[in-house]
Amino acid sequence: MTIGTFTISRRGLLLGGAAVAAAANLPRAVLAQEPVRMAGIYTVPVEQQWVSRIHIAAEALKAAGTVDYSYTENVANTDYPRVMREYCEAGVKLIVGEIFGAEAEAREVCAEYPDVAFLLGSSFMPDEAANPNLSVFDNYIQDAAYLSGIVAGGMTAGNIGMVGGFPIPEVNRLIHAFMAGVREVKADATFQVSFIGSWFDPPKAKETAFAMIDGGADLLYAERFGVSDAAKERGVLAIGNVIDTQADYPDTVVTSALWHFEPTLNAAVAAVQAGSFKAENYGTYSYMIAGGCSLAPLGTFEGKVPAEVMALVAEKEAAIKAGSFTVAIDDSEPKSS
């Protein structure tokens, strides 16, 4: 593991370019103080859609001089606690990452280093008594997923395939929200739902999607990488998740539910700077009303989605942002129709 360095690569330039652009939108409170030593610990490559959002937000703060950011990727769950300890011993003051596969062990490390702030993706809520320095988050972007479902409802004959990573609450709520959006337009739509048991296995996701297309799906919900590849090869449509991949699939991806990690990370860094970081649920910073998610522009599909469908999207989006409409949260495991 290398701490305090950054390897220049094509992917770094691509991710870093977005980070520099985002830096201009940072609040003054975040920009005002000495850089916070921050580390990212990721179990997958930084290109993976979920982790890429964290990485881009961190690079934005690094570009602004707000954090001194290093990271380690492809960390096995069994090795996660060791990497956490190494960063803590190196003097890092804020650690960001995901501990879905190492909950108990990671929380033990947090307890060992009470002077380090931890902001970690988790399926469980914070425990102030056991870990007062551990805040949790996830991409609770059900608002954007719901709106993307409305778009999908206007573009399908009614058979939709949905490929997810694991049936954990954070994923389940997105799938349910998407299905609720579809039903606003296509009440009798049916869904094929499958989980591949991995956060990053594009070949498996692709094969699962192929099976759904063979089962009649004419539109796919791409919660995982690999699904849009299957859609492209078979000539069906797809709806993306977390990042906008339309540039890579201009005739396939209609829109995407986008996650913006900046509100989450900016709030955490500001709390560290102020000496007020404590155990909290940062998941609400992913809500649309907090600026944590949005619906990607239609781009190449502009004018191809029925006007009445986009009018409904605009109406619901305005209501969500105004706080007059709340997308229902259902964390139960979704099933095929």
Side-chain angles (χ1 to χ4, degrees):
M1 176 181 66
T2 301
I3 296 176
T5 64
F6 181 71
T7 301
I8 299 296
S9 63
R10 181 176 181 274
R11 67 171 182 177
L13 290 172
L14 291 172
L15 293 169
V20 172
N25 298 318
L26 300 176
R28 289 185 179 180
V30 175
L31 298 172
Q33 299 186 29
E34 289 298 312
V36 173
R37 290 197 64 188
M38 172 186 166
I41 308 175
Y42 312 123
T43 62
V44 294
V46 292
E47 293 95 341
Q48 191 259 15
Q49 63 261 52
W50 191 91
V51 162
S52 72
R53 301 304 89 188
I54 303 172
H55 184 66
I56 285 173
E59 284 290 309
L61 290 183
K62 180 179 179 180
T66 307
V67 300
D68 176 7
Y69 170 60
S70 301
Y71 69 93
T72 303
E73 59 188 336
N74 294 316
V75 178
N77 287 324
T78 54
D79 208 28
Y80 208 94
R82 179 189 65 79
V83 179
M84 290 174 69
R85 289 189 177 95
E86 287 193 9
Y87 274 122
C88 290
E89 293 294 335
V92 165
K93 295 303 180 184
L94 172 64
I95 291 179
V96 181
E98 82 275 17
I99 56 171
F100 301 104
E103 287 280 352
E105 298 85 351
R107 288 173 184 257
E108 289 177 3
V109 176
C110 294
E112 293 172 14
Y113 295 93
D115 295 330
V116 179
F118 296 88
L119 179 66
L120 301 172
S122 171
S123 294
F124 299 93
M125 289 294 102
D127 184 344
E128 186 174 1
N131 297 116
N133 59 332
L134 168 60
S135 287
V136 300
F137 71 90
D138 208 335
N139 63 319
Y140 294 143
I141 60 172
Q142 63 273 0
D143 300 328
Y146 169 79
L147 296 180
S148 73
I150 295 176
V151 174
M155 301 296 284
T156 178
N159 188 328
I160 295 177
M162 311 187 72
V163 182
F166 292 91
I168 63 173
E170 298 88 325
V171 175
N172 297 344
R173 70 167 59 188
L174 303 188
I175 291 178
H176 279 297
F178 177 86
M179 292 192 292
V182 171
R183 293 186 180 116
E184 293 280 8
V185 178
K186 190 81 63 177
D188 59 349
T190 59
F191 301 91
Q192 302 176 57
V193 181
S194 184
F195 297 92
I196 63 172
S198 173
W199 293 128
F200 194 71
D201 191 343
K204 188 172 184 180
K206 185 177 180 180
E207 289 303 315
T208 302
F210 277 147
M212 292 178 171
I213 296 170
D214 290 340
D218 67 346
L219 187 144
L220 299 173
Y221 177 65
E223 200 269 330
R224 292 292 101 195
F225 275 166
V227 176
S228 294
D229 293 299
K232 179 180 178 180
E233 288 188 25
R234 294 290 182 86
V236 303
L237 300 177
I239 300 292
N241 182 58
V242 175
I243 64 175
D244 187 355
T245 58
Q246 192 184 80
D248 296 320
Y249 308 94
D251 300 317
T252 302
V253 175
V254 183
T255 188
S256 301
L258 305 182
W259 183 31
H260 309 295
F261 192 67
E262 288 78 7
T264 304
L265 185 58
N266 292 348
V269 170
V272 171
Q273 290 178 326
S276 60
F277 189 91
K278 59 182 180 180
E280 294 184 277
N281 174 22
Y282 276 69
T284 55
Y285 286 102
S286 291
Y287 289 14
M288 186 168 285
I289 200 168
C293 66
S294 67
L295 187 67
L298 293 180
T300 56
F301 281 85
E302 193 70 47
K304 299 178 183 179
V305 181
E308 62 272 19
V309 172
M310 293 312 299
L312 179 60
V313 168
E315 174 190 332
K316 294 294 186 179
E317 181 177 9
I320 291 170
K321 291 180 176 179
S324 59
F325 174 72
T326 301
V327 175
I329 293 175
D330 185 350
D331 289 344
S332 65
E333 183 174 343
K335 305 293 184 181
S336 297
S337 302

